[in-house]
Amino acid sequence: MTMVASDGYQSIDHKNLYSYLTTLPSSMLENLYKHPNPCLCMAIFRDLVPMAQKFVLRQLFIDQVLPKSALLAWITPDGRKDHDDAVRLLIELRIWSEAPSSAGLMGWKLNEHFRKGIQAVVVGGGPSWGGDVTPTAEETTPVDVAFLEKYARDQWEHVLHYLAGLKTRQTASHVVDVLATAGLVRGGNERDGGITQNGFRFLLMDTPSQVWRFVLSYLQTTQKWNMDLIECISFIFQLSFSQTGKHYSSSGFSDNQMKMLQHFRDYGLVYMRSGKRPSSRFYPTNLVMNLSGGASSTNASFAEGYIVVETNYRIIAYTDSPLKIAVVSYFSEMLYRFPNLAIGILTRESIRNALAKGITADEIIRFLRMHAHPQMRESSPILPSTLTDQIKLWEMERARFEFTDGVLYNQINSVKDYELLRNYANDLGVNVLSNNDKRLLVVTTEGHVPVRAFWKRQKKE
Amino acid sequence: MAAVDESDQQGYRWETEYERTWEVLQEDSAGSLTSSVQDVVQGIKRRRLLEKKPNLRLGMMRHLFIILDLSETMRDQDLKPNRLYCVLKLLEKFIAEFFDQNPIGQLGIITTRNKRADRLTELAGNQKKHIEAVQSLKTTTPLGEPSLQNSLDVAAQTLRHIPSHASREIVVIFGSLTSCDPGNIYDTTNMLRENNVRCSVVGLSAEVSICKTLAKETSGEYGISLDESHLRDLLMAHVAPPPIGPNSEYFLIRMGFPQQKAHERLDEFSFCLCHLDQPEPRYGQPGYFCPVCLSKYCELPVECKVCGLTLVSAPHLARSYHHLFPVEPFEEITPEDVSSSQNQRCFSCLVETHSDKVALFKCKACQQQFCIDCDLFIHEVLHSCPGCAGNPAKSG
Amino acid sequence: MAMTGLTTLGSSDTGAAGVESISNILVVILDLNISWWSDQMESGAIRNGVSSSHASQQYSLAFSLDQIFIFLNSYLLIQPNNKVVVLGCLESQSYFLYPPTGDASGPAINDSRPEAFRMVNEAVLNSVRNILTRELSKETQNSESSHETVFIGALSRSLCYIHRLQREAPKGQLVNGRVLVIETGLDSSSHYMHFINTIFTAQKMNIKMDACVLGEDSVLLQQAVDLTGGLYVKVDNAAGIAQVLNTVFLLDADERSKFVVPERVQVDYRAACFCHQKLVEVGFVCSVCLSVFCVPGPMCTTCNSVFKYMLPQKQKRKGPLTNGKTAEVSPSSQPAKRKTGETQRERNGNS
């Protein structure tokens, strides 16, 4: 159940929560919806496609089963395809189940716990979520939003530093565990685990996607540590719906939750004052709040852009952070370094090196676009089209050859034999290449066995 | 030279004293120019507003001809990528704006090229046709010399037959310094003046005396563009209805306000008259029925082909009302007038302003404050003050 | 093959002209017409068999406000980028309920709603409460607090606010605006010009106007909805408004083509004549100020221009004229009648 599969990366940006949840057994999903804290229902709801959201909202206050025909009557022919996608999605997430309606026709029944969860969110009146602001005990030195953001960024960069192999600080073992589960580093137990192919691609992703990926693999490692998965998931989502800059009390949290708080502190997801006695107050940072937003937080990264890309293939990174420079050096050749900036150049070799490491051209382009300097955003398109086209061309260069294993049949003496073999191979569909002049035939390795058997039979006759 | 006007007596620009433009910008104590730049920007924004003079008598039903110069000089590259392309791009925007502000107006385009004048589009109220025609000009090569007199004659031929309650206008976009005419151009100028045709010229090169005379005689405007944005300003100035000349007469025009029928019963299907000549006439679509002769049309405004009644809808007329009842300019509140305890919010967009940096503007009628962006928005786009809009005292 | 690959390369890069994210703004304009709500409450009380003295003045409005909060919360839930602005209009004054400008203090309730939702709900509730208490406590509350609703002030303010949000959005973010008017009282047609200017502005800014009408049909809102391409729904029972709002008005622009939506309403676009305020199908329009008259007269009452003579309809079709003089000259109304008589006869002759 690891997420290292290549398709896991495509689904990262979009339906990440959905793809993770569908891998869970259905009983666990039910328990998740049943949790008294409706934030998970809220997070899942936000992740649905818009049409599915509208279906659920329309059904929210109707207790009966919704007949399939009635659902179809809501849709115009244009929306039919989206309707089918939405229905499939809702079934897979066990939000909808088939049930007969009162008239006997087949219809859709909304999961009761999910319904109650969404109703609690939208109507109110249910019990509050915890995480209340305690108005009495004020901080002596209140923490402001800018500090929280800086703290989150620093902590997160330390995690990335470890991944990139830059030794700046001792990294806790649980961080290494999570990274290993995600397949981003090799050899979980050794501290010097090298970065894997997926690790490179991870470094090129934007921060919210990185955090998501990380949290998902964290949830998988919790099973290794024997922590209750449901509690973890709901705690994470509860955090993700908190308000910026407000502090929450951690009194009354279970052991698991306290443990998670400590872990999150190391990742930069929450901030707690360090001191002799553990503080009972924590501040969620913007990293964790972006979890429920998905891709909505690109605004934050706009102002942080530091890369200027010129049409002569030069990349100028206005930063002195070794991590950022290291990431840029993955796909470009570094030329100069100054105290406040680093200049590199995109060459064929450097891009091919990156492609060999497993990074795709799309990821490079997305990375450059994501971290483009605000000055670059004035022009449209953001990156020069010559550059993006060239990077893609260099990637396409590597795809010029397609390798297929096969077995070669040569030295076939008669034309008739050759044609017989060739036609038989065609019928079986295993013909890879046939050259009529030289009487050469290549079949796939799987097809070799039947073709050889056929030939032997022929020879006997 | 002809009779010297007062404006000529000012002398040429190089003869006047030089302006010390660097003194306009002043640094503040920290050495930053931001505040004075902001002042300049605000000044520019406000200037556009204050230039408009309220005028009750405007020519609402406009028949405008655009004469486009397609001569050799339009290949010049002082406007990027070349003059012709730049002008065509602006012309598309002009056409869209024109029909937006004057829904019952009509527009026609004439081009002049190689000493001839051609009608590109006839006077019509359909903006799509004009825009398509302008786009088709992008591939033509400018050639030869323009002929001002020929093009003015062609325009005047049609404008002569327009009833005099409507305004007759010509806008010439002239890029050349010469004109090749068959006869005496002053005769044409006189003819235009007698026929109450208002000619304005937008020049792209330099001041040409004949254009100046033409504009002056017919009480039009002559402007020469400095760069692209100035050209845009000059051109867009003609979107607003011009003041009615002293010789015009006022008429009552009979117009119809058709109803739209959305769904027709099967036995009531009919053809529409606007697409009747086309290979695929439209049948059974919803349309507007002329109140007099019950012929169907797809779009308004249109002139009924059967009975000649002009068909419009009420919003079309209402679109022009804001020219006649414009919003009064707001007065600026100086920082000294405002006490620090007063609420410094813009009334309409709730933006908080710190009065020492940005000025606030107050509407005299409803006494509400607005920030400068809302001020511009109200005067240029919205055309009604939000404070006065709900006020029962000010109705209409 | 490589060449075709290149052309697709270029086009996929530019995307939608540099749009990185989309933010949706919904502006809700609530009609707080006191007399309508109190009538509603009384008739509702009678229907439900509850004594009207039992219910406070704001009983029915509070219930409907809860329903509207369900709708607002659903809208905020759908996408994290969705923002809501609420305005209220009362007695031709308009107030920003959220973000609150005036006094919005009140009891804070902690329940299962996320904080962001709670803030919106509480701000609106407290603002409405404070506004209504202030209004009702006025000694000069005259009995003719009419059933008329003037929402035009709120509408123009909301357009300015959306314009501000568009200005302030970071580069690359597209701000989509939509306005929903929940109207209870009757229209007042006295501000038609302001109204039509605002609608044209909304059209230019690509802002759709939706309308949910609780009382009588509103011609102004029908025109607004028609001109901007929105949706119009008349609700009979205000108690069930949440379901209607959630079903119809949560749909954004592209979804409206995929869902079955209420039919386009037939709008009456006839102009009202300036002299009698009655709707005319064929009218006479002054060439100067474009005011509409049902009966031709010698002078325009709006701009005081004296008309030379009436324009016969077929003038343009006759031969070339000089300076608009025609053969028939008469300012009285008689020729007009003769004209219509002529055309009728001509038509009968032709058919």
Side-chain angles (χ1 to χ4, degrees):
Chain A
M1 222 175 39
T2 57
M3 297 287 284
V4 189
S6 58
D7 60 330
Y9 262 77
Q10 273 74 43
S11 59
I12 274 300
D13 300 306
H14 205 50
K15 299 192 200 111
N16 39 16
L17 183 57
Y18 155 69
S19 56
Y20 176 66
L21 288 176
T22 45
T23 57
L24 295 176
S26 63
S27 55
M28 199 167 275
L29 261 185
E30 278 292 325
N31 288 338
L32 277 176
Y33 293 149
K34 243 191 253 181
H35 200 271
N37 203 328
C39 48
L40 185 67
C41 298
M42 208 167 127
I44 294 178
F45 181 83
R46 272 212 170 140
D47 223 26
L48 294 174
V49 281
M51 191 168 266
Q53 287 175 337
K54 306 297 187 304
F55 288 163
V56 171
L57 281 175
R58 286 186 183 193
Q59 229 191 338
L60 201 57
F61 297 106
I62 304 178
D63 283 328
Q64 304 147 345
V65 173
L66 181 69
K68 291 190 191 180
S69 49
L71 186 67
L72 279 176
W74 284 350
I75 307 294
T76 64
D78 284 338
R80 192 53 206 268
K81 182 176 167 305
D82 288 338
H83 158 270
D84 296 335
D85 290 337
V87 169
R88 197 182 43 226
L89 180 65
L90 288 171
I91 293 179
E92 283 181 0
L93 281 174
R94 327 271 187 311
I95 299 178
W96 266 3
S97 50
E98 275 203 43
S101 69
S102 49
L105 307 161
M106 287 312 285
W108 303 113
K109 186 164 154 23
L110 187 61
N111 186 321
E112 269 312 306
H113 303 294
F114 192 77
R115 174 209 298 269
K116 288 215 176 59
I118 298 291
Q119 270 183 350
V121 168
V122 161
V123 178
S128 89
W129 293 3
D132 286 340
V133 179
T134 47
T136 49
E138 274 300 323
E139 287 271 357
T140 43
T141 46
V143 175
D144 66 340
V145 179
F147 174 79
L148 281 178
E149 282 187 15
K150 184 171 176 312
Y151 175 78
R153 217 186 355 244
D154 285 341
Q155 291 291 89
W156 186 248
E157 283 202 354
H158 280 129
V159 175
L160 294 181
H161 274 161
Y162 175 77
L163 193 56
L166 306 162
K167 298 291 181 344
T168 48
R169 198 169 80 168
Q170 288 285 46
T171 324
S173 63
H174 61 90
V175 176
V176 181
D177 279 342
V178 176
L179 288 175
T181 322
L184 302 176
V185 291
R186 259 191 297 271
N189 285 335
E190 307 149 21
R191 285 305 190 87
D192 288 352
I195 187 170
T196 63
Q197 215 185 54
N198 286 330
F200 283 120
R201 299 166 72 188
F202 181 79
L203 281 174
L204 284 183
M205 292 193 319
D206 56 299
T207 316
S209 314
Q210 283 176 337
V211 174
W212 240 125
R213 193 84 176 63
F214 192 80
V215 165
L216 282 178
S217 60
Y218 176 82
L219 287 173
Q220 283 163 332
T221 25
T222 53
Q223 294 180 309
K224 213 170 62 165
W225 297 327
N226 295 326
M227 284 161 64
D228 184 18
L229 184 61
I230 296 180
E231 200 180 349
C232 299
I233 295 183
S234 35
F235 183 61
I236 289 178
F237 281 112
Q238 183 182 330
L239 283 180
S240 72
F241 283 114
S242 19
Q243 295 275 73
T244 352
K246 291 222 181 111
H247 56 97
Y248 294 88
S249 157
S250 62
S251 51
F253 278 4
S254 70
D255 285 336
N256 271 342
Q257 289 175 329
M258 289 305 290
K259 203 162 150 201
M260 286 174 74
L261 263 187
Q262 294 292 337
H263 287 166
F264 287 167
R265 197 172 152 204
D266 287 329
Y267 308 147
L269 298 180
V270 303
Y271 169 71
M272 278 198 292
R273 281 193 196 285
S274 47
K276 286 197 215 85
R277 53 178 180 81
S279 164
S280 67
R281 225 187 294 273
F282 67 93
Y283 296 80
T285 63
N286 57 323
L287 279 185
V288 77
M289 274 180 260
N290 290 338
L291 279 182
S292 65
S296 69
S297 48
T298 44
N299 296 342
S301 58
F302 280 4
E304 291 173 3
Y306 58 94
I307 296 184
V308 174
V309 183
E310 295 178 349
T311 50
N312 56 359
Y313 291 78
R314 284 205 171 189
I315 295 185
I316 303 158
Y318 285 94
T319 177
D320 55 356
S321 141
L323 174 70
K324 295 193 175 127
I325 295 179
V327 175
V328 173
S329 70
Y330 284 152
F331 54 82
S332 68
E333 197 184 299
M334 280 312 201
L335 293 174
Y336 313 112
R337 267 197 77 164
F338 289 99
N340 64 333
L341 62 94
I343 301 185
I345 188 165
L346 286 176
T347 62
R348 187 164 173 272
E349 282 75 30
S350 66
I351 295 285
R352 282 173 70 84
N353 280 340
L355 293 172
K357 285 191 194 131
I359 309 174
T360 66
D362 281 330
E363 282 171 1
I364 297 177
I365 293 173
R366 199 177 23 202
F367 175 80
L368 287 174
R369 200 179 277 151
M370 197 72 58
H371 295 283
H373 196 270
Q375 199 71 24
M376 299 266 306
R377 294 188 192 277
E378 307 284 317
S379 53
S380 140
I382 296 180
L383 299 177
S385 52
T386 49
L387 240 89
T388 49
D389 283 348
Q390 186 61 61
I391 296 178
K392 290 201 181 136
L393 276 175
W394 280 330
E395 183 188 36
M396 274 163 50
E397 271 183 8
R398 283 163 53 91
R400 274 165 48 199
F401 290 123
E402 190 186 291
F403 295 100
T404 322
D405 286 335
V407 180
L408 171 69
Y409 289 74
N410 64 352
Q411 295 176 349
I412 303 174
N413 290 328
S414 76
V415 178
K416 247 183 33 179
D417 287 341
Y418 166 74
E419 281 182 3
L420 197 62
L421 268 181
R422 188 194 63 194
N423 294 337
Y424 184 72
N426 273 343
D427 290 337
L428 283 182
V430 296
N431 184 2
V432 176
L433 178 73
S434 51
N435 189 327
N436 295 342
D437 303 325
K438 296 191 189 155
R439 292 188 296 275
L440 295 176
L441 180 69
V442 180
V443 300
T444 63
T445 27
E446 298 90 14
H448 169 59
V449 174
V451 172
R452 188 178 58 185
F454 170 76
W455 176 241
K456 283 203 176 118
R457 280 201 306 272
Q458 291 296 102
K459 262 206 328 204
K460 278 184 200 144
E461 295 165 11
Chain B
M1 281 259 276
V4 173
D5 211 354
E6 279 146 14
S7 57
D8 290 347
Q9 276 173 349
Q10 269 176 6
Y12 292 108
R13 200 171 152 87
W14 62 82
E15 291 174 346
T16 56
E17 266 202 28
Y18 54 87
E19 315 168 346
R20 299 192 187 84
T21 47
W22 57 89
E23 285 184 356
V24 176
L25 291 179
Q26 281 165 3
E27 291 185 3
D28 63 11
S29 52
S32 109
L33 286 174
T34 340
S35 50
S36 48
V37 168
Q38 245 182 8
D39 286 340
V40 173
V41 166
Q42 286 191 25
I44 295 175
K45 280 185 186 173
R46 292 277 294 165
R47 193 174 20 115
R48 266 193 276 141
L49 280 186
L50 296 172
E51 272 173 4
K52 292 190 193 160
K53 295 181 269 293
N55 201 332
L56 193 50
R57 302 273 158 99
L58 299 173
M60 284 298 182
M61 307 195 55
R62 303 174 67 186
H63 297 265
L64 175 70
F65 264 111
I66 300 178
I67 296 180
L68 191 53
D69 177 10
L70 282 184
S71 64
E72 195 72 38
T73 44
M74 291 303 271
R75 274 203 241 170
D76 207 358
Q77 292 186 340
D78 56 358
L79 296 172
K80 301 295 172 203
N82 62 12
R83 279 189 191 175
L84 180 64
Y85 194 82
C86 194
V87 166
L88 290 179
K89 217 166 32 126
L90 287 177
L91 208 53
E92 282 178 37
K93 291 196 196 133
F94 175 80
I95 293 175
E97 270 295 310
F98 180 82
F99 283 110
D100 185 55
Q101 301 284 326
N102 307 282
I104 47 178
Q106 293 187 2
L107 194 60
I109 308 180
I110 293 173
T111 59
T112 167
R113 185 172 183 251
N114 224 355
K115 306 171 194 157
R116 277 200 256 274
D118 305 304
R119 251 185 252 262
L120 190 64
T121 55
E122 300 284 344
L123 260 191
N126 184 354
Q127 62 173 315
K128 267 191 289 242
K129 239 190 292 179
H130 295 302
I131 294 183
E132 274 166 14
V134 167
Q135 281 171 345
S136 71
L137 278 182
K138 282 187 180 157
T139 50
T140 56
T141 344
L143 194 58
E145 285 202 20
S147 172
L148 197 54
Q149 187 179 16
N150 278 336
S151 40
L152 288 174
D153 280 336
V154 167
Q157 256 176 26
T158 325
L159 285 178
R160 230 181 297 197
H161 303 321
I162 305 290
S164 75
H165 63 85
S167 80
R168 307 164 175 169
E169 298 167 49
I170 296 180
V171 168
V172 186
I173 303 178
F174 207 58
S176 142
L177 293 172
T178 58
S179 168
C180 185
D181 301 326
N184 189 352
I185 191 155
Y186 292 107
D187 289 343
T188 317
T189 320
N190 289 334
M191 183 264 292
L192 289 173
R193 192 191 55 218
E194 279 163 21
N195 279 316
N196 259 335
V197 179
R198 186 173 179 267
C199 298
S200 308
V201 186
V202 175
L204 300 177
S205 300
E207 189 181 62
V208 179
S209 168
I210 177 62
C211 295
K212 194 162 155 188
T213 328
L214 175 66
K216 205 157 64 78
E217 295 277 308
T218 56
S219 52
E221 282 165 17
Y222 183 31
I224 298 166
S225 74
L226 299 168
D227 54 22
E228 187 174 335
S229 55
H230 190 215
L231 174 61
R232 191 206 153 97
D233 284 342
L234 285 176
L235 202 53
M236 292 302 174
H238 291 105
V239 166
I244 281 195
N247 300 330
S248 307
E249 290 124 354
Y250 313 125
F251 287 81
L252 266 184
I253 307 145
R254 193 156 166 265
M255 286 191 182
F257 298 97
Q259 292 269 53
Q260 186 189 35
K261 274 177 89 171
H263 299 291
E264 300 176 328
R265 292 205 324 259
L266 203 55
D267 53 351
E268 284 179 4
F269 272 12
S270 52
F271 284 102
C272 75
L273 256 75
C274 30
H275 296 94
L276 208 52
D277 320 326
Q278 290 184 5
E280 289 182 9
R282 292 199 190 167
Y283 181 67
Q285 307 270 350
Y288 298 92
F289 289 86
C290 168
V292 169
C293 64
L294 291 182
S295 22
K296 191 167 80 162
Y297 292 94
C298 299
E299 277 174 6
L300 296 180
V302 74
E303 191 183 313
C304 179
K305 293 184 195 171
V306 176
C307 58
L309 188 63
T310 316
L311 300 175
V312 292
S313 73
H316 284 139
L317 292 183
R319 208 165 229 172
S320 319
Y321 285 158
H322 68 82
H323 293 297
L324 303 163
F325 307 106
V327 188
E328 296 278 332
F330 293 163
E331 58 183 15
E332 192 166 333
I333 307 178
T334 52
E336 292 85 42
D337 294 345
V338 180
S339 60
S340 54
S341 59
Q342 195 180 14
N343 207 350
Q344 294 300 331
R345 280 180 195 265
C346 166
F347 178 70
S348 52
C349 69
L350 297 188
V351 80
E352 303 210 349
T353 59
H354 307 283
S355 56
D356 50 325
K357 287 188 204 154
V358 176
L360 280 179
F361 299 90
K362 194 160 76 155
C363 168
K364 289 182 242 180
C366 58
Q367 303 294 318
Q368 296 286 358
Q369 302 170 345
F370 299 95
C371 64
I372 185 167
D373 299 297
C374 284
D375 183 20
L376 285 171
F377 182 67
I378 288 171
H379 283 99
E380 289 182 359
V381 185
L382 196 52
H383 297 294
S384 82
C385 165
C388 309
N391 218 330
K394 227 181 183 279
S395 68
Chain C
M1 207 266 296
M3 286 318 287
T4 52
L6 268 180
T7 48
T8 51
L9 282 179
S11 56
S12 65
D13 257 331
T14 50
V19 171
E20 305 250 345
S21 69
I22 299 183
S23 156
N24 294 315
I25 316 274
L26 174 67
V27 180
V28 179
I29 299 181
L30 284 182
D31 185 2
L32 299 171
N33 194 314
I34 297 182
S35 45
W36 190 90
W37 283 109
S38 52
D39 287 350
Q40 172 83 352
M41 188 258 311
E42 279 177 16
S43 58
I46 292 172
R47 255 183 283 140
N48 296 333
V50 177
S51 72
S52 54
S53 62
H54 177 65
S56 71
Q57 186 84 17
Q58 300 163 347
Y59 166 78
S60 162
L61 175 60
F63 185 70
S64 301
L65 273 181
D66 279 338
Q67 306 257 319
I68 292 173
F69 290 158
I70 292 179
F71 166 68
L72 291 178
N73 292 340
S74 309
Y75 183 74
L76 288 172
L77 180 63
I78 285 178
Q79 258 198 12
N81 258 348
N82 283 357
K83 291 199 199 60
V84 151
V85 177
V86 185
L87 284 101
C89 50
L90 174 64
E91 302 284 337
S92 74
Q93 292 281 335
S94 57
Y95 306 92
F96 270 90
L97 301 176
Y98 182 80
T101 49
D103 185 18
S105 54
I109 311 169
N110 240 349
D111 67 358
S112 57
R113 284 173 286 177
E115 274 188 63
F117 298 8
R118 238 186 317 179
M119 271 182 8
V120 174
N121 295 167
E122 279 170 8
V124 174
L125 190 60
N126 293 332
S127 303
V128 169
R129 196 176 278 144
N130 293 332
I131 291 171
L132 286 183
T133 359
R134 205 172 44 220
E135 196 63 34
L136 290 171
S137 63
K138 273 195 200 156
E139 289 303 323
T140 56
Q141 162 122 57
N142 34 14
S143 53
E144 39 153 293
S145 68
S146 55
H147 271 263
E148 275 198 349
T149 299
V150 179
F151 59 85
I152 181 64
L155 190 56
S156 23
R157 284 172 93 184
S158 57
L159 288 184
C160 289
Y161 193 80
I162 295 180
H163 180 73
R164 169 199 169 183
L165 289 177
Q166 284 176 337
R167 255 187 354 243
E168 290 178 351
K171 203 152 164 53
Q173 186 177 64
L174 180 65
V175 176
N176 278 333
R178 195 154 58 95
V179 177
L180 168 64
V181 181
I182 301 180
E183 201 199 33
T184 55
L186 301 169
D187 279 342
S188 92
S189 53
S190 51
H191 297 102
Y192 189 71
M193 205 181 63
H194 288 287
F195 170 73
I196 203 81
N197 281 334
T198 319
I199 301 305
F200 288 139
T201 312
Q203 224 180 19
K204 219 184 283 192
M205 287 168 78
N206 257 339
I207 294 176
K208 289 199 193 307
M209 286 203 46
D210 299 326
C212 180
V213 174
L214 300 179
E216 306 269 328
D217 270 320
S218 155
V219 179
L220 286 185
L221 280 178
Q222 281 176 344
Q223 282 192 9
V225 162
D226 199 46
L227 284 171
T228 54
L231 295 170
Y232 178 89
V233 171
K234 180 165 176 318
V235 178
D236 293 319
N237 184 7
I241 194 177
Q243 187 68 11
V244 172
L245 290 174
N246 267 5
T247 311
V248 179
F249 293 112
L250 284 178
L251 303 172
D252 62 14
D254 14 301
E255 288 178 327
R256 289 182 190 197
S257 57
K258 298 183 185 152
F259 276 86
V260 170
V261 287
E263 275 186 359
R264 226 187 122 175
V265 183
Q266 276 277 55
V267 190
D268 193 349
Y269 275 126
R270 288 176 292 170
C273 72
F274 278 42
C275 34
H276 309 107
Q277 298 291 325
K278 66 171 198 270
L279 298 172
V280 286
E281 277 201 336
V282 180
F284 294 89
V285 176
C286 165
S287 65
V288 176
C289 60
L290 296 185
S291 19
V292 183
F293 300 100
C294 49
V295 184
M299 209 171 84
C300 169
T301 43
T302 332
C303 62
N304 296 323
S305 9
V306 179
F307 298 124
K308 276 282 178 95
Y309 22 75
M310 253 91 54
L311 188 71
Q313 346 154 206
K314 294 226 174 166
Q315 184 160 349
K316 285 181 207 166
R317 295 179 180 249
K318 296 213 167 105
L321 309 159
T322 53
N323 222 8
K325 286 198 171 57
T326 70
E328 298 103 354
V329 179
S330 173
S332 67
S333 55
Q334 293 296 332
K337 288 199 197 124
R338 233 191 298 140
K339 280 294 157 306
T340 46
E342 260 180 36
T343 49
Q344 266 185 3
R345 251 182 286 136
E346 278 176 16
R347 231 189 331 185
N348 292 340
N350 284 343
S351 61

